[in-house]
């Protein structure tokens, strides 16, 4: 009898209640939450993965959906309704072209070293560009290369994936989409830049440009 009573103290809530718990945690969290973190917050015996599966189906087709971001989960605006948030996006200050190019190279070629970034861009990378991307938490240091000097590599972060609504770096758009978005442009005419000089190196302390 005592064993049955002890067992009942740890009986998991009904799955529908677990689904509500997961919904509450994701709704209140500004950052994506992993299944392990969900299980740690929920009562003993809960199955956060199964509750997530049910919750994701419930939100399918709604104004907000349950998205996987890296190895975590979040409630976000449905992708087809992103245009409703366009005003807020446009009014924020945008990254300089040097920062966009550097970020794109890291996203598509990660893990990548500074020297490799410079080789792909064809110009040197200002320290301010990388520092600002690190401060935004869109990139982070990866493993050091097992080559002479053991240079550090850079990779994109979960915050980057979350900001752009990506599950993983494999979901990044192709070259055609990047050109359509204006993120791949021809270089300025020869002579407009000093060879080997970053086009934003004169003012990399302010990586952002006011929208005007």
């Amino acid at each position: 009898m005592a064993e049955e009573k002890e067992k009942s103290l740890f009986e998991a809530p009904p799955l529908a209640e677990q689904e509500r718990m997961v919904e509450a945690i994701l709704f209140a969290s500004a950052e994506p939450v992993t299944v392990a973190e969900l299980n740690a917050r929920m009562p003993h015996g809960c199955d956060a993965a199964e509750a997530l599966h049910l919750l994701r189906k419930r939100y399918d087709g709604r104004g907000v959906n349950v998205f996987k971001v890296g190895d975590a989960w979040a409630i976000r605006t449905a992708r087809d309704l992103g245009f409703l948030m366009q005003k807020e996006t446009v009014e924020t200050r945008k990254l300089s072209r040097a920062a966009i190019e550097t970020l794109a190279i890291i996203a598509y070629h990660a893990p990548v070293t500074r020297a490799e970034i410079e080789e792909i861009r064809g110009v040197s990378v200002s320290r301010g560009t990388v520092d600002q991307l690190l401060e935004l938490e869109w990139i982070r240091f990866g493993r050091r290369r097992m080559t002479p000097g053991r240079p550090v590599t850079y990779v994109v972060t979960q915050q980057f994936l979350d900001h752009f609504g990506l599950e993983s770096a494999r979901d990044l758009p192709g070259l055609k989409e990047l050109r359509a978005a204006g993120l791949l442009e021809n270089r300025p005419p020869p002579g407009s830049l000093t060879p080997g000089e970053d086009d934003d190196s004169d003012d990399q302390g302010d990586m952002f440009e006011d929208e005007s």
Side-chain angles (χ1 to χ4, degrees):
M1 189 72 176
E3 290 181 1
E4 291 181 1
K5 184 176 181 180
E6 184 178 351
K7 184 178 179 180
S8 67
L9 290 176
F10 296 96
E11 185 176 353
L15 195 53
E17 185 65 16
Q18 295 182 41
E19 182 184 344
R20 291 181 66 238
M21 292 178 184
V22 169
E23 181 180 28
I25 294 172
L26 295 185
F27 180 80
S29 178
E31 302 295 333
V33 184
T34 65
V35 172
E37 290 170 339
L38 287 169
N39 278 323
R41 297 188 195 184
M42 295 165 67
H44 180 81
C46 287
D47 186 348
E50 180 63 20
L52 264 171
H53 175 71
L54 295 176
L55 186 65
R56 195 177 193 184
K57 290 178 62 177
R58 186 180 301 276
Y59 272 95
D60 188 36
R62 303 295 298 269
V64 293
N65 300 148
V66 177
F67 289 106
K68 188 176 183 183
V69 182
D71 60 351
W73 296 83
I75 292 178
R76 296 289 184 262
T77 302
R79 290 194 175 100
D80 63 323
L81 298 179
F83 70 94
L84 296 172
M85 313 303 157
Q86 187 174 4
K87 182 177 180 181
E88 288 77 8
T89 302
V90 170
E91 287 180 349
T92 59
R93 294 190 296 175
K94 63 180 181 180
L95 293 174
S96 66
R97 190 179 71 178
I100 291 174
E101 291 179 354
T102 300
L103 179 61
I105 290 169
I106 294 172
Y108 282 92
H109 297 274
V112 61
T113 66
R114 179 189 289 268
E116 290 166 341
I117 296 171
E118 292 177 342
E119 182 179 357
I120 294 170
R121 287 197 66 213
V123 294
S124 62
V125 177
S126 167
R127 184 178 65 182
T129 298
V130 174
D131 287 347
Q132 291 281 3
L133 291 174
L134 287 168
E135 289 177 11
L136 283 172
E137 297 184 344
W138 281 3
I139 66 171
R140 63 175 176 82
F141 295 115
R143 293 183 178 179
R144 289 184 177 273
R145 282 279 170 81
M146 300 302 291
T147 56
R150 298 201 63 195
V152 69
T153 61
Y154 298 97
V155 297
V156 292
T157 64
Q158 185 168 282
Q159 287 89 331
F160 168 85
L161 298 176
D162 188 25
H163 182 86
F164 290 99
L166 304 172
E167 180 174 331
S168 71
R170 293 188 297 271
D171 298 320
L172 286 163
L175 294 177
K176 183 177 180 181
E177 289 83 358
L178 289 176
R179 289 194 179 96
L183 296 180
L184 287 181
E185 302 175 350
N186 293 326
R187 284 269 165 203
S192 61
L193 286 177
T194 302
E197 180 181 337
D198 195 319
D199 52 356
D200 287 335
S201 59
D202 290 339
D203 190 22
Q204 276 301 326
D206 183 8
M207 184 190 64
F208 296 96
E209 300 170 347
D210 289 323
E211 187 77 11
S212 59

